[in-house]
């Protein structure tokens, strides 16, 4: 009997371990990269997300001296609407950016939480401080190493 007890303990330890391959960072974000003549934010940028209930939620607060930034992507709405507020000593401009997208459920494992990947279909914006936005990578997933959207700002000073 004493010989079988270590075998039972070893067998139970091996079978008790399971491998769950859920990603540690399963947040899907879009990466905005500054392009053109403005390669670093000179004024502060605050970004609010307009929610479907009519309220807004502040995501970035007074970001400065950045070359890129990340914004979240909703997984239920067909479009995300952001308010980009540029504020400086002589500047107070607000642009509305709308990202139209297709939401695709992504399955990792039964043990993992639900995730959605996205395809950016169209981007529209107002022209106060933003000159243009170019889609450089339409597929939005866990990878934020490359920019999804190239943001060209006007020289408003």
């Amino acid at each position: 009997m004493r010989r079988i007890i270590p075998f039972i303990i070893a067998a139970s330890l091996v079978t008790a371990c399971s491998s769950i391959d859920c990603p540690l960072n399963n947040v899907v974000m879009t990466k905005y990269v500054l392009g053109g003549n403005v390669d670093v934010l000179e004024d502060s940028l605050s970004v609010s997300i307009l929610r479907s209930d009519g309220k807004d939620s502040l995501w970035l607060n007074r970001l400065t001296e950045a070359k890129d930034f990340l914004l979240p992507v909703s997984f239920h709405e067909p479009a995300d609407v952001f308010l980009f507020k540029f504020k400086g000593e002589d500047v107070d401009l607000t642009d509305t950016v709308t990202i139209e997208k297709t939401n695709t459920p992504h399955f990792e494992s039964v043990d993992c939480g639900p995730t959605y990947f996205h395809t950016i279909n169209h981007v529209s914006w107002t022209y106060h401080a933003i000159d243009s936005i170019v889609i450089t990578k339409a597929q939005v997933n866990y990878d934020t190493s490359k920019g999804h959207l190239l943001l060209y700002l006007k020289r408003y000073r």
Side-chain angles (χ1 to χ4, degrees):
M1 184 71 173
R2 286 193 155 177
R3 289 184 177 174
I4 203 161
I5 290 177
F7 177 72
I8 292 173
I9 291 173
S12 66
L13 287 175
V14 170
T15 58
C17 296
S18 67
S19 174
I20 300 174
D21 292 329
C22 297
L24 295 175
N25 184 10
N26 64 351
V27 178
V28 179
M29 308 273 264
T30 51
K31 184 173 186 175
Y32 293 74
V33 178
L34 295 179
N37 295 333
V38 180
D39 56 352
V40 175
L41 285 172
E42 297 169 359
D43 298 312
S44 71
L45 170 64
S46 297
V47 179
S48 298
I49 302 168
L50 294 180
R51 300 184 326 202
S52 58
D53 62 1
K55 298 179 181 176
D56 64 352
S57 177
L58 183 64
W59 183 259
L60 285 178
N61 189 23
R62 298 182 183 160
L63 178 68
T64 57
E65 299 179 11
K67 296 179 180 184
D68 56 39
F69 54 93
L70 299 172
L71 292 178
V73 183
S74 69
F75 51 89
H76 287 298
E77 302 297 325
D80 292 335
V81 180
F82 301 99
L83 292 177
F84 283 61
K85 184 170 181 84
F86 298 90
K87 190 164 181 115
E89 197 172 300
D90 303 331
V91 176
D92 190 2
L93 300 170
T94 302
D95 278 307
T96 303
V97 176
T98 304
I99 310 290
E100 295 175 21
K101 60 193 174 43
T102 304
N103 304 318
T104 307
H106 177 71
F107 179 75
E108 294 279 340
S109 168
V110 176
D111 299 323
C112 302
T115 352
Y116 282 81
F117 287 171
H118 312 277
T119 303
I120 299 173
N121 301 321
H122 181 71
V123 180
S124 59
W125 60 93
T126 56
Y127 295 92
H128 302 288
I130 297 174
D131 183 51
S132 63
I133 300 175
V134 177
I135 301 171
T136 56
K137 182 181 170 195
Q139 301 301 321
V140 181
N141 49 29
Y142 301 136
D143 182 23
T144 57
S145 61
K146 297 179 182 173
H148 298 98
L149 299 164
L150 196 54
L151 183 66
Y152 291 95
L153 300 176
K154 293 180 181 178
R155 285 273 184 200
Y156 45 78
R157 288 180 172 220

